[in-house]
Amino acid sequence: MGRNLGIIGLLIIVLISACSPERKLARQYIKTSSGSGILIMPLYELFKDNLTLSFDSTINYSAAQQDSLAWEQSCFVKHVSDSVFLSQFTNSLIDRLTRYGYDVYLDGSSDVFLALPDPKWIIQLAQLQLNENHSIYPYNVYSVETGEPVGNEIRINTVKLESWFEASLANGGQKQVLYLEGYIQDEVRQGIDFSLLEGATSVHLTRDSVGMDDVYKMAEELGKKHADLLFDYFMNEYIRTNLPAGILPKKYYYIDRDKSNQLKTNPKTRFEIMDPQPLQ
């Protein structure tokens, strides 16, 4: 009997959790968000930097000279077209938001946008920063003669995009700065070879290197990811503003788009909400 009561108690807890005010509001937002307005204020400049710099330490270079050296030594950022990268990112962002049912407008359509019913959001793409860097991956190969490990290393290239979005409701409310970073890097897989005849082992590496096509593909994929996280952000702001006075949200809700669009809590990836300060 006690075991049955325990099971019944667990079911009651699950039912209460499933019918919590926050979850109800999340489901309500999912049903009613279609047709909501979003004004996107795009960027026309991509900030770029090469954080890897190699130079003769015996020479006293100025800051401007170091910047020039870093630019010339870059493998990726100096070849990136601002207009192509920003177009792919922004178009992907808009296409994804439109797919979710939002009415998306650009800066030039603001009069039409402001005539839409509330709530509606203004999203300013405040800054996109594209950086390249590298790390050194150590590995061992084994000498055929001695069988002893011999240290080696390989350079792993990384390209990272940092973003700052400024989000605010069209008719008031505090502006919030939403931060996110994403990256791509060379992929290296290590395998072991064993020679029966020589009785020795050796290491072989399979390397998939980042190329310029991958950098532009990253712009497209991160545009989609930002749209996904914006939907989650809007949903959680809807929950927060529609909860009864004095009640604060206990969880952050998101749509798990890898598993049949299930409504879940506490995602691995979400925007970091920063202090609402203007970017420099």
Side-chain angles (χ1 to χ4, degrees):
M1 182 67 178
R3 183 177 179 182
N4 291 335
L5 285 175
I7 294 173
I8 293 171
L10 179 61
L11 289 174
I12 291 173
I13 292 172
V14 171
L15 288 172
I16 291 173
S17 175
C19 299
S20 69
E22 294 173 49
R23 185 170 290 272
K24 285 182 179 179
L25 286 170
R27 289 173 174 167
Q28 184 176 326
Y29 181 81
I30 294 170
K31 291 179 181 179
T32 61
S33 61
S34 181
S36 299
I38 302 176
L39 175 62
I40 300 292
M41 303 177 69
L43 270 172
Y44 300 100
E45 179 182 8
L46 176 66
F47 291 88
K48 296 175 287 188
D49 199 3
N50 175 22
L51 302 181
T52 300
L53 177 60
S54 176
F55 61 92
D56 187 344
S57 59
T58 63
I59 300 176
N60 187 21
Y61 291 103
S62 67
Q65 288 173 323
Q66 290 186 26
D67 286 344
S68 296
L69 282 172
W71 183 257
E72 288 304 317
Q73 291 176 11
S74 71
C75 299
F76 305 101
V77 294
K78 70 179 179 182
H79 300 296
V80 173
S81 164
D82 287 21
S83 60
V84 174
F85 190 95
L86 291 172
S87 293
Q88 290 194 240
F89 179 90
T90 307
N91 289 338
S92 178
L93 171 70
I94 292 172
D95 289 346
R96 189 82 154 191
L97 289 172
T98 302
R99 173 184 162 188
Y100 291 148
Y102 294 110
D103 286 339
V104 183
Y105 297 82
L106 294 175
D107 196 15
S109 308
S110 58
D111 290 341
V112 178
F113 169 77
L114 291 174
L116 294 174
D118 292 328
K120 48 186 177 286
W121 285 92
I122 298 175
I123 302 296
Q124 180 174 357
L125 279 58
Q127 184 173 324
L128 293 179
Q129 175 78 44
L130 188 70
N131 294 327
E132 74 172 79
N133 207 337
H134 78 257
S135 57
I136 301 300
Y137 176 79
Y139 67 98
N140 287 326
V141 296
Y142 293 84
S143 170
V144 174
E145 291 81 13
T146 66
E148 295 296 320
V150 179
N152 274 268
E153 57 186 29
I154 188 171
R155 168 175 166 150
I156 305 296
N157 294 309
T158 302
V159 182
K160 177 193 292 185
L161 181 70
E162 296 178 275
S163 67
W164 291 263
F165 283 12
E166 294 181 350
S168 60
L169 288 167
N171 292 317
Q174 186 181 45
K175 180 183 292 184
Q176 290 188 319
V177 178
L178 311 178
Y179 172 80
L180 186 69
E181 66 176 53
Y183 69 92
I184 55 174
Q185 64 181 187
D186 297 341
E187 182 179 354
V188 175
R189 296 183 296 277
Q190 182 172 298
I192 304 295
D193 296 323
F194 179 74
S195 173
L196 291 175
L197 294 177
E198 298 177 348
T201 58
S202 62
V203 174
H204 70 268
L205 298 179
T206 303
R207 176 175 182 149
D208 295 327
S209 300
V210 169
M212 287 305 301
D213 288 344
D214 299 308
V215 175
Y216 289 120
K217 183 66 175 178
M218 179 179 70
E220 179 182 341
E221 292 301 318
L222 283 179
K224 295 177 184 177
K225 187 63 176 179
H226 280 70
D228 294 345
L229 299 187
L230 278 175
F231 184 99
D232 297 340
Y233 169 76
F234 297 151
M235 178 170 60
N236 283 275
E237 285 298 295
Y238 180 85
I239 293 170
R240 184 182 63 82
T241 56
N242 286 279
L243 281 173
I247 298 180
L248 297 176
K250 297 179 181 178
K251 299 178 180 179
Y252 194 93
Y253 284 80
Y254 75 105
I255 302 296
D256 189 343
R257 293 168 179 87
D258 294 327
K259 294 187 177 179
S260 303
N261 293 327
Q262 296 178 18
L263 181 64
K264 296 185 177 181
T265 58
N266 302 324
K268 293 182 180 179
T269 304
R270 55 185 280 192
F271 284 120
E272 178 184 348
I273 299 178
M274 307 179 70
D275 292 335
Q277 307 256 342
L279 299 175
Q280 300 299 321

